[in-house]
Amino acid sequence: MKLKQRVVLLAILLVIFIFTKVFLIDNLDTSAAHREDQRAFQRMLSGLRVALEPRLEHTLQSPWEIAAQWVVPREVYPEDTPELGAVMHAMSTKKIIKADVGYKGTQLKALLILEGGQKVVFKPKRYARDYIVEGEPYAGYDRHNAEVAAFHLDRILGFRRAPLVVGRFVNLRTEIKPVATEQLLGTFMTVGNNTCFYGKCYYCRETEPACADGDIMEGSVTLWLPDVWPLQKHRHPWGRTYREGKLARWEYDESYCDAVKKTSPYDSGPRLLDIIDTAIFDYLIGNADRHHYESFQDDEGASMLILLDNAK
């Protein structure tokens, strides 16, 4: 082989060697970064796992007392919640000692009192899990499993602004009717072989009851916030008009955001940032119905936007 050919061959081998080395180093770096990402993801998953068991670290307190102590102006529950599982277990298993119609609103719900005096909101199952609601984004009934999913998304995002939610099966005949108020009991009926009720609310109709499978009804249970933290309701600045053909100001006025930023409580404090967080949250859960929102009362814009009613 001539010298010139040898030089060309050596140059080619050198180039191949350099590219191979760079590729291997990059690949090793990528693999190391990938492994670290996997470890970080596993650590996050481990921190999010909740074991639903009745054991409490503080044996002198009830689960309801513990949950009440968690609430502060900027979170409903703390990041490190070793007793979260015990509180959620109590929500899904404690005896129901009273049942009443839900608090005012547009959607069917029941107000339950659990053993120990804790209030919870029960939203009944209205759709199969794979049912697709047609029409407007805010159409149809509340979805009980959306409340459960929204609570866990709130945990994943680290917001900690949604009250605790669990799924629960209740026997309407043996658990609810014996402790129901006359007002709630008056809305019960039997459809075929199924026990049903239609409750009291803006859109509640005798012709549109929620029905159990026989006597067993699936639903979501949301923990009532402590009474020492009264709520204040606000109109959402980016709410819909809910009128066909009528646009809200934010839909046509390009200067609207600037106007909001000059209006209390969005001109100072964290409230406007909470609105942005909530917009992301609602997009992820598919909620197009946040026309109002709640904060703690007399907070002068300092408290969080509380993530309530996430079932649309």
Side-chain angles (χ1 to χ4, degrees), residues 92-141:
S92 61
T93 61
K94 285 288 187 182
K95 183 179 178 180
I96 300 166
I97 61 175
K98 185 179 179 181
D100 199 356
V101 296
Y103 58 93
K104 62 181 181 179
T106 62
Q107 296 286 315
L108 173 60
K109 59 185 78 71
L111 179 64
L112 307 180
I113 309 295
L114 302 183
E115 187 178 17
Q118 178 63 49
K119 295 179 186 177
V120 296
V121 176
F122 179 79
K123 287 191 176 181
K125 174 183 176 181
R126 303 298 295 256
Y127 302 110
R129 294 180 184 275
D130 57 353
Y131 182 80
I132 297 174
V133 179
E134 303 290 346
E136 298 291 342
Y138 47 84
Y141 304 115

Side-chain angles (χ1 to χ4, degrees), residues 88-211:
M88 294 174 68
H89 180 271
M91 292 169 62
S92 61
T93 61
K94 285 288 187 182
K95 183 179 178 180
I96 300 166
I97 61 175
K98 185 179 179 181
D100 199 356
V101 296
Y103 58 93
K104 62 181 181 179
T106 62
Q107 296 286 315
L108 173 60
K109 59 185 78 71
L111 179 64
L112 307 180
I113 309 295
L114 302 183
E115 187 178 17
Q118 178 63 49
K119 295 179 186 177
V120 296
V121 176
F122 179 79
K123 287 191 176 181
K125 174 183 176 181
R126 303 298 295 256
Y127 302 110
R129 294 180 184 275
D130 57 353
Y131 182 80
I132 297 174
V133 179
E134 303 290 346
E136 298 291 342
Y138 47 84
Y141 304 115
D142 277 4
R143 279 71 108 177
H144 77 289
N145 51 319
E147 288 283 8
V148 177
F151 164 64
H152 289 289
L153 178 63
D154 175 71
R155 296 179 59 225
I156 291 170
L157 295 176
F159 289 168
R160 300 188 293 282
R161 301 171 196 166
L164 277 60
V165 183
V166 298
R168 178 164 179 168
F169 289 91
V170 297
N171 188 310
L172 295 182
R173 182 176 57 84
T174 63
E175 293 185 89
I176 301 297
K177 293 181 75 173
V179 296
T181 62
E182 289 296 325
Q183 189 177 25
L184 178 60
L185 204 56
T187 73
F188 272 79
M189 61 177 65
T190 301
V191 179
N193 295 321
N194 302 320
T195 303
C196 311
F197 75 100
Y198 57 91
K200 298 285 185 181
C201 70
Y202 189 79
Y203 290 126
C204 290
R205 304 283 185 272
E206 186 174 353
T207 54
E208 300 179 18
C211 292

Side-chain angles (χ1 to χ4, degrees), residues 276-292:
I276 296 170
D277 286 344
T278 306
I280 297 168
F281 178 81
D282 284 337
Y283 175 78
L284 293 174
I285 66 173
N287 177 27
D289 196 41
R290 201 172 296 279
H291 44 80
H292 289 80

Side-chain angles (χ1 to χ4, degrees), residues 13 17 29 32 53 64 82 117 182 187 200 214 242 256 258 295-296:
L13 291 174
F17 173 76
D29 289 344
E53 56 184 28
W64 316 133
E182 289 296 325
T187 73
K200 298 285 185 181
Y242 294 89
Y256 178 72
D258 291 330
S295 69
F296 291 130

Side-chain angles (χ1 to χ4, degrees), residues 8 27-28 52 60 77 107 176 178 232 270 273 294:
V8 172
N27 194 47
L28 286 172
L52 297 185
L60 298 179
Y77 54 93
Q107 296 286 315
I176 301 297
Q232 183 174 355
L273 296 177
E294 286 80 14

